[in-house]
Amino acid sequence: MVIQKINYYEDLFSVKDKVVIVSGASRGIGLELASNFHAAGAKVVGIARTKKINNVKFNYQSIDVRNKSSFEKLCTKINNEFKKIDVLINCAGITISPTDVKFDEKYFENIINTNLSSVYNTCMIVAKHCNENGSIINFSSIASYLGFPNNPAYVSSKGGLSALTRSLALDFAKYNIRVNNIVPGYIHTSMTDESYRNQSLNEERRKKMIIDRWGNVKDIVGGAIFLASDASSYITGSDLVIDGGWTIKGL
């Protein structure tokens, strides 16, 4: 009897030929994820508001995730071409420094609309096109667990997103679509660059971590591939915390 060799682990964690949408793909974590999923053999469509980005190999489209109609048209186009959507990664998000704006309704609504309402819309739209055994990965924050000062809209948006993920995990189970959160800690991106470059702020944040360094965008890739692949087929409504140990550190 000939026993066929099976590359079990490669197959288990494979995203090859999966059709993947990544929002926030013009920079930071989103760009890193879109590039690495493409390198791993996925058919990636990355979207962001930036009109054009150079030197990327994945399919990039300039779309504002807050524009429900534009996103719906994109999903219809992708579904017509590939006959499926396997994975949605909601990585788009904004924060506004309290020193830059006056705390008012527009400030609050802008962040809620981008970080929470638009995610609800993209999830609902993709669910109509998503392949059975699909995966939706939302990007929350340790701000969904902890209180952080002077940024109530951002903290509220991420707390709401965490709850939304659990709710949709239940609602989408009948479609065999899993919904999970990745919860990053302090990752060095353009959003956190100001505090990263400030020596005292950098040190203050680093001391909160068990792993004695700030995270970088590459630290997120493995977790995202895990949640997109069959390796996580029995995981839904969960948080994957990638924070260097910030949220569990005691003394």
Side-chain angles (χ1 to χ4, degrees):
M1 182 175 67
V2 177
I3 299 176
Q4 184 180 5
K5 183 178 180 181
I6 300 174
N7 296 320
Y8 177 74
Y9 290 109
E10 288 184 15
D11 292 342
L12 186 64
F13 289 91
S14 176
V15 293
K16 185 178 180 182
D17 294 327
K18 287 186 181 291
V19 179
V20 180
I21 300 174
V22 182
S23 73
S26 64
R27 60 182 183 173
I29 294 172
L31 176 58
E32 187 73 16
L33 292 179
S35 299
N36 279 273
F37 269 77
H38 172 82
K43 296 176 173 63
V44 177
V45 179
I47 65 172
R49 287 183 293 176
T50 303
K51 294 299 181 185
K52 183 180 179 181
I53 56 174
N54 298 318
N55 303 318
V56 294
K57 296 182 179 180
F58 60 86
N59 178 3
Y60 178 78
Q61 302 286 323
S62 176
I63 290 177
D64 188 336
V65 290
R66 295 172 299 182
N67 189 322
K68 183 178 176 181
S69 175
S70 294
F71 185 78
E72 192 153 23
K73 288 177 182 177
L74 174 70
C75 289
T76 299
K77 183 178 179 180
I78 292 171
N79 193 55
N80 288 341
E81 180 175 357
F82 297 110
K83 309 305 178 188
K84 63 174 184 173
I85 297 173
D86 295 296
V87 181
L88 168 65
I89 303 177
N90 282 308
C91 206
I94 62 170
T95 188
I96 299 174
S97 170
T99 59
D100 294 337
V101 297
K102 180 181 178 181
F103 286 125
D104 58 19
E105 289 182 8
K106 289 184 179 179
Y107 151 77
F108 195 90
E109 289 174 1
N110 185 27
I111 291 184
I112 294 295
N113 286 339
T114 302
N115 294 1
L116 181 57
S117 299
S118 70
V119 174
Y120 170 76
N121 290 330
T122 59
C123 289
M124 298 302 292
I125 292 167
V126 162
K128 295 188 293 186
H129 300 283
C130 203
N131 189 31
E132 188 170 299
N133 301 318
S135 175
I136 295 175
I137 303 168
N138 295 326
F139 268 75
S140 182
S141 165
I142 58 174
S144 67
Y145 293 164
L146 305 170
F148 285 86
N150 301 321
N151 209 345
Y154 182 80
V155 173
S156 298
S157 71
K158 293 304 183 179
L161 180 55
S162 182
L164 175 66
T165 294
R166 293 190 293 272
S167 178
L168 292 182
L170 185 60
D171 292 344
F172 289 175
K174 59 180 173 289
Y175 307 123
N176 290 317
I177 298 171
R178 297 179 295 108
V179 191
N180 292 290
N181 278 320
I182 286 180
V183 185
Y186 270 79
I187 308 297
H188 183 206
T189 65
S190 57
M191 185 181 288
T192 60
D193 189 61
E194 184 177 345
S195 54
Y196 181 83
R197 294 184 182 280
N198 182 305
Q199 185 174 352
S200 63
L201 293 177
N202 183 306
E203 181 77 0
E204 180 184 57
R205 284 150 178 74
R206 185 183 60 77
K207 286 181 177 179
K208 296 279 190 180
M209 305 164 195
I210 295 175
I211 297 175
D212 193 26
R213 64 172 176 85
W214 279 54
N216 62 67
V217 290
K218 294 184 182 301
D219 292 321
I220 306 297
V221 175
I225 287 178
F226 168 65
L227 289 177
S229 71
D230 292 341
S232 59
S233 62
Y234 199 54
I235 299 174
T236 194
S238 295
D239 289 345
L240 177 56
V241 182
I242 307 176
D243 70 346
W246 180 307
T247 52
I248 60 93
K249 186 176 181 179
L251 292 176

